[in-house]
Amino acid sequence: MHSYTKAESRERGKLFRKGFRQALADCVDPDVRRRIERIDQAAAERGALELAALHKVQADARQDLAAAKAVERTAPRADRAAAREARKAAEQRVKLAERAVHKAEQS
């Protein structure tokens, strides 16, 4: 996963276009390639950190869901409705976390 900042995206685009023009003229400057690779490496490192953070959020959400299910199962009749709502909210957080992880892994 790559996570480019806006400045990196602009710079990478400019370098790519410059490299493309140079490739058409058959005289590619190796500095252009190095700068693109440096930007890609920084974005890959940032993306890996963000993906690890998303996995942690997902694991925490799953733990919260397990706890909410246990509370719901052991709740007295008067508190069961509130426990059910808490479980549903925990399920929603898990679903959102899974979507975020899936989206990040696909890009």
Side-chain angles (χ1 to χ4, degrees):
M1 176 179 154
H2 289 81
S3 179
Y4 295 99
T5 63
K6 289 184 180 186
E8 286 175 339
S9 293
R10 281 192 306 271
E11 181 68 19
R12 191 178 189 287
K14 288 177 190 175
L15 291 170
F16 178 80
R17 287 187 294 277
K18 184 176 183 178
F20 183 74
R21 285 191 302 270
Q22 289 177 355
L24 290 176
D26 202 25
C27 59
V28 178
D29 184 11
D31 184 52
V32 171
R33 249 189 242 142
R34 275 195 303 272
R35 288 171 59 193
I36 288 175
E37 288 171 1
R38 212 173 314 129
I39 291 170
D40 288 344
Q41 183 180 7
E45 290 171 3
R46 191 176 313 108
L49 290 174
E50 289 177 10
L51 187 60
L54 283 173
H55 279 293
K56 184 182 180 323
V57 167
Q58 181 184 26
D60 291 345
R62 286 182 176 168
Q63 288 285 32
D64 293 344
L65 176 59
K69 283 183 178 182
V71 168
E72 182 184 10
R73 289 183 183 132
T74 59
R77 191 173 215 29
D79 299 335
R80 200 161 286 157
R84 184 179 313 114
E85 292 304 316
R87 177 191 46 86
K88 287 181 181 180
E91 286 175 345
Q92 186 64 28
R93 285 191 300 273
V94 168
K95 188 183 291 187
L96 290 172
E98 287 176 349
R99 282 184 193 154
V101 168
H102 181 70
K103 184 178 178 182
E105 289 176 341
Q106 296 303 314
S107 60

